[in-house]
Amino acid sequence: MFYWSETIVLLWSYAVKIASAEVFVGGPGKNYVTIKIRTDEGVTGVGDASINGRGLLPATYLKEYLIPCLIGMDPRKTEDIWQYFYRGAYFRRGPVTMAAIGAIDMALWDIKGKIAGLPVYQLLGGPSRDACLVYAHATGSDVEALLDSITHYQAEGYKAIRIQCGIPGMPEGYGVAGDDEDTKHFITDFTGLPKTEIWDTEKYLRFMPGVFEKIRERFGFDLKILHDVHHRLRPREAAAFAKEVEPYRLFWLEDPTPADDQSALKLIRQHSTVPIAIGEVFNSIWDCKDMMEQELFDFIRVSATIAGGITHLRRITDFADMHHIRTGFHGPPSHSPISMAAQAHLNRWAPNFGIQEYLVLGTPECDALFPSDHHMKNGMFYVSDAPGLGIDIDEKEAKRYSHQAHYHPIVRLEDGTMWNY
Ligand code: CS2
Ligand code: MG
């Protein structure tokens, strides 16, 4: 039997081609880099390529090198297009390349979902859970301020909270709130050169365990607490610290050592069972394959934005699962809500989901720029059931913003030696 309707659907789907792609740079107080791809049938998809402090690079990579090749391709070939740009670059990997490939990949999954009439998590294998646990950031310049901040987030319903505390003698430190909202949300100074922060490992190691003790005294052990060392310790120091904080039962200890040293975690593992999270600076499975095989950590922190989009994150997630590693994808405010949406679909699917960092600002300006009905309730993220990623960029709103150069702070020891931010 010959069905005309099926033939028309087949003809339509065979004909689909990428007609155009546009890159938008900027956002409310942010340098979001967004690609919007359009097919010849008018179906659109969006992706995020934001790199904090280096925003123009992925935008240029997309505009000058990838988009010219993309026009005319079949948008449903997510895997082949990913391989085309990854293998085709010859000089592989690196955050700029992987962010540009990742943004295209997110947009193509978005289009694929819209063509199929399904949310992306259904295309990945369907839901493994109804909603996904997220963690918020509590911070204080001293312990009392930190305890107040935890109380605030707990009252909002968060079950998992990252804690960062000012250290006496180190007035400004990573993740510690200043007086204004900007510092709290890590928006670095939009003028001038990088600001300098001072770090002292001894002061940190002496003070920080007592902070965990006070948190447990005040909040008990039901609250999941996380902490980010932000690459500051040497392996021996990190091993001693991890051992000392074991009684406070952290959900995770993040980036205890510089993430580029693949063997630094071995010493920590030999001395402590504290769960380790690492990977927000990784952009490829090849940055962590050996560590995963050796089961040196417990949560993988890669992001869809820096690590090649949904296609590559799915591959890393599956490999992680074989080594008892759960996901804890990076969710900084410098990545756009499109990145959060892409990760939310992976989170809803992944059998080895762990937790999601959640810092999207949710201001009216941000919601106007990226309309979606993904939502948060009681510390849980609920994924939209709209076909595709369930998020868009409002092109008119996008025209209001442009790129503004800014830097991360840099870190020096008290004697002036450069250290790790
Ligand atoms: C942090 C990041 O979210 C985190 O865990 O380590 O906020 C990191 O400092 C920024 O992404 C750097 O741009
Ligand atoms: Mg971190």
Side-chain angles (χ1 to χ4, degrees), residues 128-394:
S128 296
R129 58 196 57 75
D130 299 334
C132 303
L133 179 70
V134 307
Y135 70 90
H137 283 202
T139 146
S141 48
D142 58 26
V143 184
E144 275 313 310
L146 173 63
L147 297 179
D148 286 351
S149 175
I150 298 173
T151 305
H152 165 81
Y153 284 108
Q154 220 185 14
E156 286 196 349
Y158 287 94
K159 300 161 186 47
I161 301 178
R162 187 187 92 157
I163 60 106
Q164 305 297 133
C165 190
I167 308 290
M170 274 197 263
E172 287 181 310
Y174 166 75
V176 177
D179 295 334
D180 57 10
E181 282 293 297
D182 275 8
T183 328
K184 191 163 149 200
H185 291 297
F186 302 94
I187 302 170
T188 43
D189 197 353
F190 266 43
T191 55
L193 298 175
K195 76 174 193 211
T196 303
E197 289 176 3
I198 302 297
W199 173 257
D200 182 324
T201 298
E202 288 304 315
K203 288 189 180 115
Y204 171 83
L205 290 177
R206 268 201 312 273
F207 186 73
M208 206 56 213
V211 176
F212 294 125
E213 190 181 0
K214 291 198 179 88
I215 292 171
R216 284 307 184 206
E217 271 168 22
R218 174 82 65 93
F219 298 95
F221 279 80
D222 279 346
L223 178 67
K224 298 183 201 319
I225 58 176
L226 301 81
H227 177 63
D228 192 347
V229 187
H230 224 252
H231 322 272
R232 302 281 164 95
L233 303 178
R234 296 192 177 86
R236 193 207 57 76
E237 295 156 348
F241 182 64
K243 195 157 103 181
E244 195 177 344
V245 302
E246 239 171 41
Y248 310 116
R249 306 187 78 84
L250 304 192
F251 184 87
W252 80 30
L253 186 66
E254 181 183 342
D255 287 328
T257 48
D260 32 11
D261 181 351
Q262 298 258 320
S263 53
L265 301 182
K266 276 188 196 151
L267 199 65
I268 306 177
R269 276 299 208 220
Q270 285 160 8
H271 292 275
S272 168
T273 54
V274 165
I276 304 291
I278 194 166
E280 67 183 35
V281 297
F282 296 160
N283 49 70
S284 155
I285 183 73
W286 299 104
D287 289 334
C288 49
K289 180 181 149 292
D290 295 352
M291 304 161 94
M292 281 183 165
E293 279 169 348
Q294 294 171 57
E295 297 175 9
L296 291 180
F297 64 96
D298 304 275
F299 293 92
I300 180 74
R301 298 268 297 131
V302 280
S303 69
T305 300
I306 305 288
I310 292 173
T311 294
H312 199 54
L313 242 59
R314 183 180 57 165
R315 202 148 276 145
I316 296 176
T317 300
D318 271 336
F319 188 66
D321 194 26
M322 291 155 88
H323 297 286
H324 316 290
I325 296 168
R326 287 186 279 163
T327 62
F329 296 143
H330 194 200
S334 52
H335 291 178
S336 86
I338 297 171
S339 174
M340 185 60 68
Q343 292 175 186
H345 285 275
L346 284 154
N347 291 339
R348 185 131 197 243
W349 150 74
N352 54 329
F353 167 75
I355 198 165
Q356 170 65 56
E357 182 178 27
Y358 184 79
L359 267 169
V360 172
L361 296 183
T363 57
E365 291 83 7
C366 196
D367 291 344
L369 183 59
F370 298 109
S372 92
D373 62 358
H374 296 288
H375 68 281
M376 269 277 311
K377 204 176 148 202
N378 286 331
M380 304 294 283
F381 192 98
Y382 291 83
V383 184
S384 159
D385 264 321
L389 289 178
I391 190 158
D392 202 354
I393 184 166
D394 183 310

